[in-house]
Amino acid sequence: LVTSRDVARAAGVSQATVSRVLAGSPRVTDATRARVLAALTEVGYVPNAAARTMRTRRTGSIGVVVARITNPFYPELLTAFSAKLDSVGRRMVLWDSSGPGEQSAAAAAREGVVDGLVFTTAAPESRPLIAALARQAAIVLVNRSLPDLACDQLTSDNATGGERIAAYFAANGHTRCGMICGPAGFSTSDEREAGFRAGLRAAGLELHDEAFVRGEYSHADGHAAMRQLLALDPPPTAVFCANDLIAMGALDAARALGVRVPDDAWVVGYDDIPMAAWEAFDLTTVRQPVTEIADRAVDRLLGRIADAALPPLHHRFPADVIVRRSTAHTAA
Amino acid sequence: LVTSRDVARAAGVSQATVSRVLAGSPRVTDATRARVLAALTEVGYVPNAAARTMRTRRTGSIGVVVARITNPFYPELLTAFSAKLDSVGRRMVLWDSSGPGEQSAAAAAREGVVDGLVFTTAAPESRPLIAALARQAAIVLVNRSLPDLACDQLTSDNATGGERIAAYFAANGHTRCGMICGPAGFSTSDEREAGFRAGLRAAGLELHDEAFVRGEYSHADGHAAMRQLLALDPPPTAVFCANDLIAMGALDAARALGVRVPDDAWVVGYDDIPMAAWEAFDLTTVRQPVTEIADRAVDRLLGRIADAALPPLHHRFPADVIVRRSTAHTAA
DNA sequence: CTGAAAGCGCTTACAG
DNA sequence: CTGAAAGCGCTTACAG
């Protein structure tokens, strides 16, 4: 192994001077700097990350916790985080929130493996863990929030998104609306549902109990739920799904039953994952601005790492409706 | 910050003894151990990862380099890696191979940020980097290989996969076959193509130049390529796509043009991503056993970390054909 | 501008 | 079985 001591020897300077050159300190003669630089490549020096971390208490790594990556929204978000972290010179350590991912991530933050942590899938069960961690480590919640928790939280304006879809349905004459919701307790589910209900109410409509079905955020559950809705008599003519994956399952169910979309039923999702634009789905949905989300989340996390005393930030990204052919092609 | 010294003070023992208890050394009295354990929780001790790494030269982190995560195959693979790494008590550091990901990963390996590295998207351009790195760090190539490189490589038996699809087409009476291939130089593209051509040849068929179209591994390029193939006179009646994403683009193109699948044209992909089973696609494809791939890759990487002198392993996973309704529903 | 030195928090021979 | 000590490879005051 080549250490800074070896470089110092080759350059005929002290080890401290090598460190200074590496750190870009201005308190070094050009001549000295040149000799050190030459020695650096001559001996093939590579700095040791652990030693540097031990001194600086900074690793340059940021942890990200995401859900089972089988929902394409998370890979999207992940790509955005990866690009952003790269651009600010940080590495990404990844945990899957299914299984012990959150615990491992929390432990990593406490042990100083990462400088901070982004949670994208905070669930009701994770509240105690995250609440405790927030006191000792830099963390930011993204996508799913934990209401009332005093830490940085950046999420889609889910309620407004749901409201807009309700208004869109109502404005186009739908009176029998349905919803396929995600798991209760997740802020995304709860807020989208509440917004949708509020929007219907504002239009003088209501969401009948039989027309509200709940499942996991999966294609399979969307599929099953849509079959259930289409079996109603009369079936709903417009269905709001709590995310795109559910909506794609719903579309596939309609396809299988010979129900035409949008002629017989409108289907709407949430997230605007890339596949939503494919001909196979052509799905009207509410956009989540993943690039902005990742950018702001990372900026905020770095800010918090630098200053733990910052007041908690709660930010909502606007919920824009993207109209495609799974609804009649009129503006929302 | 609470250090092992604080624990020692609280337990009335030396700092070394605390270390021994933490390391599970048998050379500690039960009584002493109990006192230390009590002190541990009393003072809220958390070990410092950097200090431990500095001594042991082990971080417990493994790096994984994957492609733009917009191809659902990579999230699949990633989930499998995440689960496996978790089960062996390792963390995952992730890089996106688009952009400077490979360089950053290589640097991280050299600086000791990770104990080893998995590359899933080795490209021809990355050969020098990977070849140099293989001499100083533990790395394993997965999915895409770099032929002739002396390092561990675990890949699908792409050639046999292509061959089987050709045989399947031929056995079902197709004489005008087409292929939509990925970028030249990627082992996955090259090998699947070579296998497909060999299989056709073995059946007395040939792949006409107009019926061979190349593009990126994307839905959009699959879409465009399929339009091109369907514009031929006569068009091919069976098309092998170098991966599922391309095949889904091809299916969407067929859908848009009113070409019925499989009645007018068969479409086959590669990878067997979960979406391939959805009704929207119902895609015949060649399976990649992602769980086994991740398991074996990690086991091998840990083996190599433990013993750098191991001879390079080149392993091929069997290429099983999964028949669905994008081809007539007869066994392959 | 440069060097000698301390110290980050551990692990692990070395004594006893 | 336990403690005192060395040392992993850096960064950064402290002198000069």
Side-chain angles (χ1 to χ4, degrees):
Chain A
L1 186 76
V2 180
T3 72
S4 58
R5 207 146 235 118
D6 300 314
V7 179
R9 199 171 304 123
V13 300
S14 76
Q15 185 271 328
T17 298
V18 175
S19 259
R20 288 201 193 87
V21 171
L22 288 169
S25 161
R27 336 177 77 230
V28 182
T29 320
D30 283 349
T32 308
R33 181 185 316 280
R35 266 194 300 152
V36 170
L37 256 20
L40 234 38
T41 56
E42 181 194 328
V43 302
Y45 174 73
V46 178
N48 180 286
R52 172 175 288 167
T53 295
M54 176 119 103
R55 289 294 333 212
T56 60
R57 305 201 159 283
R58 282 286 121 87
T59 65
S61 296
I62 296 294
V64 180
V65 185
V66 298
R68 291 203 69 79
I69 323 192
T70 40
N71 174 357
F73 173 67
Y74 290 102
E76 275 303 297
L77 201 52
L78 219 56
T79 302
F81 271 110
S82 173
K84 172 63 175 179
L85 287 171
D86 219 83
S87 78
V88 295
R90 300 301 196 285
R91 276 178 297 274
M92 175 160 80
V93 185
L94 185 68
W95 285 276
D96 187 332
S97 60
S98 64
E102 285 189 343
Q103 324 258 2
S104 308
R110 281 192 273 251
E111 295 170 8
V113 172
V114 295
D115 298 332
L117 228 36
V118 178
F119 288 89
T120 71
T121 55
E125 315 84 73
S126 33
R127 199 176 203 291
L129 176 81
I130 293 180
L133 188 64
R135 260 174 258 123
Q136 3 172 359
I139 68 176
V140 172
L141 266 43
V142 160
N143 184 43
R144 287 195 209 145
S145 61
L146 250 22
D148 309 326
L149 203 70
C151 72
D152 299 317
Q153 311 200 22
L154 311 180
T155 59
S156 171
D157 190 350
N158 295 300
T160 301
E163 232 174 290
R164 289 215 173 127
I165 298 305
Y168 176 43
F169 286 171
N172 283 272
H174 292 282
T175 52
R176 300 192 312 276
C177 299
M179 176 167 187
I180 307 180
C181 197
F186 289 2
S187 66
T188 43
S189 287
D190 293 353
E191 295 169 0
R192 288 166 198 175
E193 176 191 348
F196 187 60
R197 288 185 187 275
L200 289 182
R201 217 163 24 238
L205 299 175
E206 65 177 312
L207 184 59
H208 293 286
D209 284 350
E210 326 83 66
F212 179 82
V213 187
R214 206 187 268 290
E216 296 298 313
Y217 279 132
S218 75
H219 181 273
D221 280 15
H223 197 284
M226 187 63 170
R227 295 186 87 102
Q228 205 173 317
L229 289 182
L230 291 175
L232 294 177
D233 185 16
T237 62
V239 177
F240 174 42
C241 303
N243 82 353
D244 286 351
L245 202 57
I246 289 179
M248 289 173 183
L251 287 174
D252 272 352
R255 198 184 323 253
L257 295 172
V259 172
R260 293 165 308 159
V261 173
D263 311 44
D264 304 328
W266 287 23
V267 173
V268 171
Y270 206 111
D271 289 345
D272 195 25
I273 62 179
M275 289 162 43
W278 292 3
E279 263 134 340
F281 305 108
D282 218 340
L283 178 68
T284 294
T285 186
V286 182
R287 178 171 169 266
Q288 288 225 55
V290 286
T291 306
E292 291 165 36
I293 292 175
D295 285 359
R296 303 256 341 223
V298 169
D299 286 340
R300 183 64 189 184
L301 185 57
L302 296 183
R304 180 155 299 283
I305 290 169
D307 177 8
L310 248 36
L313 170 73
H314 286 219
H315 180 79
R316 294 281 185 184
F317 294 95
D320 295 327
V321 178
I322 310 293
V323 174
R324 297 203 182 90
R325 293 178 198 276
S326 70
T327 60
H329 214 262
T330 63
Chain B
L1 185 77
V2 178
T3 72
S4 57
R5 206 147 236 117
D6 300 314
V7 179
R9 199 171 305 123
V13 300
S14 77
Q15 185 271 327
T17 298
V18 176
S19 259
R20 288 202 193 88
V21 171
L22 289 170
S25 161
R27 335 176 79 229
V28 181
T29 319
D30 283 350
T32 308
R33 182 185 315 280
R35 265 194 301 152
V36 171
L37 257 20
L40 234 38
T41 57
E42 181 195 329
V43 302
Y45 174 72
V46 177
N48 179 287
R52 172 174 288 167
T53 295
M54 176 119 102
R55 291 293 334 210
T56 61
R57 305 201 157 283
R58 283 285 121 85
T59 64
S61 296
I62 297 292
V64 179
V65 184
V66 299
R68 290 203 67 80
I69 323 191
T70 40
N71 175 357
F73 173 67
Y74 290 102
E76 275 302 297
L77 201 53
L78 219 57
T79 302
F81 271 110
S82 173
K84 172 65 174 177
L85 287 171
D86 218 84
S87 78
V88 296
R90 299 300 196 285
R91 277 178 295 272
M92 177 160 78
V93 185
L94 185 68
W95 285 276
D96 187 333
S97 60
S98 64
E102 285 190 344
Q103 325 259 1
S104 309
R110 280 193 275 252
E111 296 170 7
V113 172
V114 295
D115 299 332
L117 229 35
V118 177
F119 288 89
T120 71
T121 54
E125 315 84 72
S126 34
R127 200 178 202 291
L129 175 81
I130 292 179
L133 188 64
R135 260 175 259 122
Q136 2 172 2
I139 68 176
V140 172
L141 267 43
V142 159
N143 183 44
R144 287 195 210 147
S145 61
L146 251 20
D148 309 326
L149 204 70
C151 72
D152 299 316
Q153 311 200 21
L154 310 181
T155 59
S156 171
D157 190 350
N158 295 300
T160 300
E163 233 175 289
R164 290 216 173 126
I165 298 303
Y168 176 43
F169 286 172
N172 283 272
H174 291 282
T175 53
R176 299 191 314 274
C177 298
M179 175 167 187
I180 307 180
C181 197
F186 289 3
S187 65
T188 43
S189 287
D190 292 354
E191 295 169 0
R192 289 167 198 174
E193 175 191 350
F196 186 61
R197 288 185 187 276
L200 290 181
R201 219 165 21 241
L205 298 174
E206 65 176 312
L207 184 59
H208 293 285
D209 285 349
E210 327 83 65
F212 180 82
V213 188
R214 207 187 268 290
E216 296 298 313
Y217 279 132
S218 74
H219 181 274
D221 279 16
H223 197 284
M226 187 64 169
R227 295 186 89 101
Q228 205 173 316
L229 289 181
L230 291 174
L232 293 177
D233 185 18
T237 62
V239 177
F240 175 41
C241 303
N243 80 354
D244 286 350
L245 202 57
I246 289 178
M248 289 172 183
L251 286 174
D252 272 351
R255 196 183 325 252
L257 296 172
V259 172
R260 293 165 309 158
V261 174
D263 311 44
D264 304 328
W266 287 22
V267 173
V268 170
Y270 206 110
D271 289 344
D272 194 26
I273 60 179
M275 288 162 44
W278 292 3
E279 263 134 340
F281 305 109
D282 218 340
L283 178 68
T284 294
T285 185
V286 181
R287 178 171 168 266
Q288 288 225 55
V290 286
T291 307
E292 292 166 34
I293 293 175
D295 285 358
R296 304 254 342 220
V298 168
D299 286 339
R300 182 64 189 184
L301 186 56
L302 296 183
R304 180 155 299 284
I305 290 169
D307 178 8
L310 249 35
L313 169 73
H314 286 219
H315 179 79
R316 293 284 184 184
F317 294 94
D320 296 326
V321 179
I322 309 294
V323 174
R324 297 202 182 90
R325 294 178 198 275
S326 72
T327 60
H329 214 260
T330 63

